[in-house]
Amino acid sequence: MKAEIIAVGTELLLGQIVNTNATFLAEEFANVGIDMYYQSVVGDNEARLEELLSLAESRSDLVILCGGLGPTKDDLTKQVVAKHVGKSLVQDPKGYQKLVDFFAKRNQEMTENNLLQALIIEGAVPLENETGLAVGMLYVDEETQTNYLLFPGPPNELKPMVYHHALPLIAKQFLQKDHLISRVLRFYGIGESRLVTELADLIENQTNPTVAPYAKPNEVTLRLTVKTDSKEWGNTQLDQLEQKILDQVGDYFYGYGDQNSLAKVVVEQLKHTQQTIAVAESLTSGLVQATFGEIPGVSEIFKGGVVVYDAKMKQDLLDIPKELLEKEGTVSEICAREMARNIRIRSNSDYGLSLTGVAGPDKLEGKEVGTVYIGLSTPSRTLVQEFYFPRDRQSIRQNAVMAAFDLVRKELLRK
Amino acid sequence: MKAEIIAVGTELLLGQIVNTNATFLAEEFANVGIDMYYQSVVGDNEARLEELLSLAESRSDLVILCGGLGPTKDDLTKQVVAKHVGKSLVQDPKGYQKLVDFFAKRNQEMTENNLLQALIIEGAVPLENETGLAVGMLYVDEETQTNYLLFPGPPNELKPMVYHHALPLIAKQFLQKDHLISRVLRFYGIGESRLVTELADLIENQTNPTVAPYAKPNEVTLRLTVKTDSKEWGNTQLDQLEQKILDQVGDYFYGYGDQNSLAKVVVEQLKHTQQTIAVAESLTSGLVQATFGEIPGVSEIFKGGVVVYDAKMKQDLLDIPKELLEKEGTVSEICAREMARNIRIRSNSDYGLSLTGVAGPDKLEGKEVGTVYIGLSTPSRTLVQEFYFPRDRQSIRQNAVMAAFDLVRKELLRK
């Protein structure tokens, strides 16, 4: 089944917002084995959307549209698709009831234009919008054998609709016996080009399963994918391939999965050993702690910490002697060591993590922009590593955060 | 001049990376007055790219391609464009010299495939790549009067090439006397739909200048754009329109510009009055401080603070009495008040900002997920505001950060 994505919205065309919906849809539909051949963006313009629909119909079996299902004048996606397939729009009773309830609950009057959101193409299967009001739909044009999926534009409405309603429906109606099983391996500390060079043989000579590398910010992932009608056979193939990969670059491997991260791995490790951590940050200014805070349930292992951006704060909040800071500098191995040890003690945690360095734009204490010291104080020792990330301010901070989580991860693995 | 963007890369088609290049190119070219009608994504596939080029040639005057200029086998953009326009590829001497120097400096041998990066379409104007090796180009097909711009895919190579080489060239070769002047106004605390309703007359009846609203995460921007051959006349039009807008929704206006933010406005305010701030965060776990840390030069006014994620940390780092926390709860007005006051005093800052609340997934101390207290201690008083953001964990944290910056901004305006 050949598919393509059409994102509708002038704000996309003018570059006012990033087309993350296309990325999301592409990945989710590719994951269930639907072949993606094109993505397009078109403005809120009837004639150009119609033109694109004709083109899509001629080259794809499944046309996935997102955006333009709302109540305002520039929302015209379903109107144009309905016209294109020669159908009228009819009311979806469930969607209509939801609208009525929504406004009643808020004691607001429902303006006429809101009713648009409950209309679907005659003969379409409605797709429930769990987090919004505009109903989505699947319409199958029997004449041309083209399938149209229509989704709302806001990502928080689109995603539940895709996960809970569209993908199950698609799986039931269209997918053959063969399906894809994927596994994502994550690597830190090795660049994409080196990883690809190391694994060149594996990447080039594999046909089923396949290996696809992707560079993410400061890390690389490998997606292993096997096409099979047997889950067991498929998983054995992936296991064998994974083993070959880890034999070569296992030193850099840290975890599985699309949604995983170094921070999540560290949180799991600490939960497993029921230990706690606190953080003292200078150049990263709270970024390590904010990254911990993104993870639900992190309070079990993460206590908090300090942001000692100012030199005086290092004295006041962490009791680092003024003389030491003046002699050694705030960007120094010994300062990182003191920060890590003191935050561990002050917070009564098992681990104390610290970061100090120069994020730029200017040199600090004669140290180059990009110089970073990361300290880790454990129940048995305190270690400090020096890094050099000669990049821009945001990249230096991001690199330092990743390096800090990796340092903790490796230390926890030593046990 | 009608333009469209074609991003080339299977990784985009499969949703492995977000197509931020299209967003960037769309915005930059729209800003100089080039009309954007389509964006497409196509994989690293010769036949489908060729098909798309034929379509683009039939509907656009300027075809902007990005991606596929590198040295590997799947990089085929310039090869396909060259074939499409019936030209061969020739070496760009400057690009070749850069390659030679690059490898010489690193004492590495240059493999044959690298030479591909210095090839351009015969007759094209090369565009220098300041941060990479693959040369870009502008090729004008005299026969069809179609212009092709070819850019590398990595954003850090694409952006300097566009800013320093492509846009100046385009301005010289193609743009008429009329050009666009834009101004972006930023609003916080009003939703897009309400803003649009309030300004309905202005938005609908303006033709030159125009008003375009865009919803960003937790804020809304309005872009005012005037088409003119007189900078002075254009700016007067924008001034008048801005005044009309601010008469209606000025209460929510906080600043100008595409790259601005509430945090940057607060930093400017504090720099102006030469005052300092420190922060105590609970539910946001360092996110306010990390947001400060993104801004170069922030150390002048931002001292740092604490992340008191754990209840005990609120006692240990901020000396909030255990009894008070037990009686009132950590998610309470009085806790926010104590946090703000104590971090101000401990850090010897002019302002102390605090955030405590429930980010979820579970209720805390009987308080609903989304409940947030934000405190601000100033030299003359301490105020606390209660908020309720019934959303998911990440949104609650983001909303709280924005609300905190807005609270500081408004307090600083009172003077």
Side-chain angles (χ1 to χ4, degrees), chain A residues 6-122:
Chain A
I6 301 177
V8 185
T10 301
E11 67 279 20
L12 292 165
L13 211 52
L14 294 181
Q16 305 291 355
I17 59 172
V18 179
N19 193 2
T20 55
N21 284 347
T23 311
F24 167 76
L25 289 166
E27 183 161 27
E28 293 304 328
F29 282 85
N31 276 347
V32 298
I34 289 176
D35 297 319
M36 281 291 159
Y37 285 107
Y38 301 94
Q39 286 173 17
S40 317
V41 173
V42 64
D44 304 314
N45 177 289
E46 186 171 340
R48 282 190 288 273
L49 176 55
E50 161 57 34
E51 206 179 283
L52 210 50
L53 287 175
S54 300
L55 176 67
E57 184 186 278
S58 74
R59 65 188 184 184
S60 299
D61 310 306
L62 172 64
V63 183
I64 304 170
L65 294 120
C66 64
L69 298 190
T72 67
K73 265 180 281 183
D74 55 1
D75 292 311
L76 42 72
T77 302
K78 64 187 160 198
Q79 291 86 333
V80 177
V81 176
K83 201 168 156 193
H84 179 77
V85 298
K87 293 282 176 182
S88 53
L89 292 171
V90 298
Q91 200 169 72
D92 169 47
K94 219 171 141 188
Y96 175 73
Q97 193 55 49
K98 193 167 173 188
L99 271 174
V100 171
D101 294 347
F102 178 89
F103 285 97
K105 207 188 243 174
R106 280 160 184 75
N107 278 320
Q108 285 175 13
E109 206 187 327
M110 174 165 64
T111 54
E112 192 70 18
N113 60 347
N114 275 294
L115 289 173
L116 271 175
Q117 300 185 86
L119 296 184
I120 60 171
I121 298 167
E122 194 185 349

Side-chain angles (χ1 to χ4, degrees), chain A residues 12 37-41 48 51 73 285 289-290 293-294 303-305 307 310 316 346 393-394 397, chain B residues 12 37-41 48 51 204 223 285 289-290 293-294 303-305 307 310 316 346 393-394 397:
Chain A
L12 292 165
Y37 285 107
Y38 301 94
Q39 286 173 17
S40 317
V41 173
R48 282 190 288 273
E51 206 179 283
K73 265 180 281 183
S285 172
Q289 298 176 78
E294 280 172 18
K303 292 206 171 188
V307 176
D310 186 82
D316 292 347
R346 285 226 53 168
R393 183 178 179 87
Q394 270 19 304
R397 287 157 45 89
Chain B
L12 291 166
Y37 286 106
Y38 302 94
Q39 286 172 16
S40 317
V41 173
R48 283 191 288 275
E51 206 180 282
E204 300 200 358
R223 181 182 290 267
S285 173
Q289 298 176 79
E294 280 173 17
K303 291 205 171 187
V307 176
D310 186 82
D316 292 346
R346 285 225 53 166
R393 184 178 178 87
Q394 266 24 300
R397 287 157 44 88

Side-chain angles (χ1 to χ4, degrees), chain A residues 77-255:
Chain A
T77 302
K78 64 187 160 198
Q79 291 86 333
V80 177
V81 176
K83 201 168 156 193
H84 179 77
V85 298
K87 293 282 176 182
S88 53
L89 292 171
V90 298
Q91 200 169 72
D92 169 47
K94 219 171 141 188
Y96 175 73
Q97 193 55 49
K98 193 167 173 188
L99 271 174
V100 171
D101 294 347
F102 178 89
F103 285 97
K105 207 188 243 174
R106 280 160 184 75
N107 278 320
Q108 285 175 13
E109 206 187 327
M110 174 165 64
T111 54
E112 192 70 18
N113 60 347
N114 275 294
L115 289 173
L116 271 175
Q117 300 185 86
L119 296 184
I120 60 171
I121 298 167
E122 194 185 349
V125 183
L127 299 171
E128 190 189 334
N129 188 334
E130 297 175 9
T131 42
L133 296 170
V135 178
M137 70 203 79
L138 168 67
Y139 179 79
V140 182
D141 186 356
E142 298 294 350
E143 202 183 311
T144 62
Q145 283 297 308
T146 311
N147 304 287
Y148 296 90
L149 271 170
L150 278 67
F151 294 117
N156 68 326
E157 301 182 20
L158 170 76
K159 288 180 182 180
M161 191 181 286
V162 168
Y163 285 131
H164 305 154
H165 305 286
L167 287 176
L169 187 66
I170 289 290
K172 211 169 85 188
Q173 298 211 346
F174 306 111
L175 296 179
Q176 316 95 323
K177 226 174 56 177
D178 262 10
H179 61 284
L180 300 181
I181 309 177
S182 275
R183 181 179 300 178
V184 171
L185 311 184
R186 306 185 75 95
F187 298 84
Y188 175 76
I190 183 170
E192 188 194 15
S193 62
R194 216 187 111 203
L195 188 76
V196 168
T197 308
E198 298 263 345
L199 301 175
D201 275 4
L202 278 177
I203 293 173
E204 300 203 354
N205 301 326
Q206 291 285 147
T207 52
N208 191 30
T210 55
V211 185
Y214 298 104
K216 312 253 169 182
N218 301 316
E219 56 181 316
V220 190
T221 66
L222 287 180
R223 180 182 291 268
L224 324 187
T225 306
V226 64
K227 201 168 197 165
T228 177
D229 63 353
S230 152
K231 205 170 165 178
E232 199 185 328
W233 182 84
N235 276 320
T236 308
Q237 297 303 307
L238 292 185
D239 288 344
Q240 288 169 359
L241 178 57
E242 177 183 329
Q243 195 49 57
K244 281 188 209 163
I245 292 169
L246 294 187
D247 284 347
Q248 289 186 256
V249 290
D251 283 352
Y252 306 98
F253 169 76
Y254 78 83

Side-chain angles (χ1 to χ4, degrees), chain B residues 255-281:
Chain B
Y256 296 95
D258 253 333
Q259 302 303 318
N260 206 348
S261 70
L262 276 172
K264 285 185 183 169
V265 168
V266 165
V267 170
E268 285 312 310
Q269 285 175 309
L270 287 168
K271 279 188 177 176
H272 184 69
T273 56
Q274 298 189 294
Q275 289 179 301
T276 55
I277 191 166
V279 187
E281 299 182 66

